[in-house]
Amino acid sequence: MDGEPLRISTPGSSEAVLGNDAFTEALSPSSSSSVQVAVRVRPFLPSEAGSNKCVNVSDASIQIGREGGAAFSFDFAFAPNDTQDHLYNTCISPLLKSCLSGYNATTLAYGQTGSGKTYTMLGPSSKGNASNSGVIPRALRELFLHLQERKKEAADESYDFDVRVQFLELY
């Protein structure tokens, strides 16, 4: 961003001018870039038992192998025991708040088959356990909650919003 405020106008309302604060707050403390990378190490499967010593997650980096193994740094790094809630609140919720302030955001899950992309984005296939919901259900829930709150706060009874969401899965 070049430091210019974002100007938003909607039909039937006055123009809103937003500074870059909402966007800056969505960035991780270690990054000043608008593109961020988070890595999540999924829990090991039963067939992989005994392999849990080959990946070490600390702060915003992962190390492969024992001491002296290859280390990689990211904006965020999540260990196998980190919850869906922790990942969402750390990475996604700030992006959603910046979207509500007029910025665009994209969340992309990338990895090989079996790496946990679907679990992270959608959650487990069992319905009814909201604590394990993935990124998409949580973001939609939070988005509509914020929009309903804004509608209640609006003095004008004609408050209206238009939500456009795109979901794409490639194989």
Side-chain angles (χ1 to χ4, degrees):
M1 307 293 316
D2 60 2
E4 288 295 313
L6 178 65
R7 298 184 182 280
I8 300 174
S9 61
T10 57
S13 71
S14 60
E15 182 178 68
V17 179
L18 304 171
N20 291 335
D21 294 339
F23 183 73
T24 304
E25 288 175 11
L27 298 175
S28 77
S30 65
S31 176
S32 62
S33 171
S34 60
V35 175
Q36 295 183 4
V37 177
V39 64
R40 183 178 201 184
V41 178
R42 70 159 170 76
F44 288 93
L45 301 173
S47 63
E48 301 167 331
S51 302
N52 61 353
K53 301 289 184 203
C54 69
V55 179
N56 183 29
V57 179
S58 63
D59 297 323
S61 66
I62 62 170
Q63 181 176 0
I64 309 297
R66 308 240 182 247
E67 284 187 42
F72 303 92
S73 296
F74 304 92
D75 294 296
F76 305 99
F78 297 95
N81 59 346
D82 284 333
T83 64
Q84 296 276 66
D85 191 53
H86 177 62
L87 180 138
Y88 179 81
N89 289 325
T90 302
C91 292
I92 307 303
S93 186
L95 289 176
L96 182 79
K97 289 173 183 158
S98 69
C99 282
L100 290 168
S101 295
Y103 294 94
N104 292 322
T106 298
T107 300
L108 173 73
Y110 176 82
Q112 69 184 41
T113 300
S115 63
K117 301 175 300 296
T118 301
Y119 178 81
T120 298
M121 296 302 283
L122 298 175
S125 59
S126 61
K127 297 182 188 340
N129 188 356
S131 66
N132 284 332
S133 291
V135 166
I136 293 171
R138 288 173 190 266
L140 291 173
R141 200 174 308 122
E142 184 178 356
L143 172 66
F144 286 105
L145 178 71
H146 283 294
L147 291 174
Q148 288 299 326
E149 288 173 0
R150 286 185 179 190
K151 186 173 185 172
K152 287 178 185 175
E153 293 171 0
D156 182 9
E157 294 295 323
S158 66
Y159 181 86
D160 196 20
F161 49 85
D162 183 26
V163 176
R164 296 177 190 189
V165 179
Q166 185 175 20
F167 175 81
L168 179 65
E169 188 170 4
L170 301 174
Y171 290 97

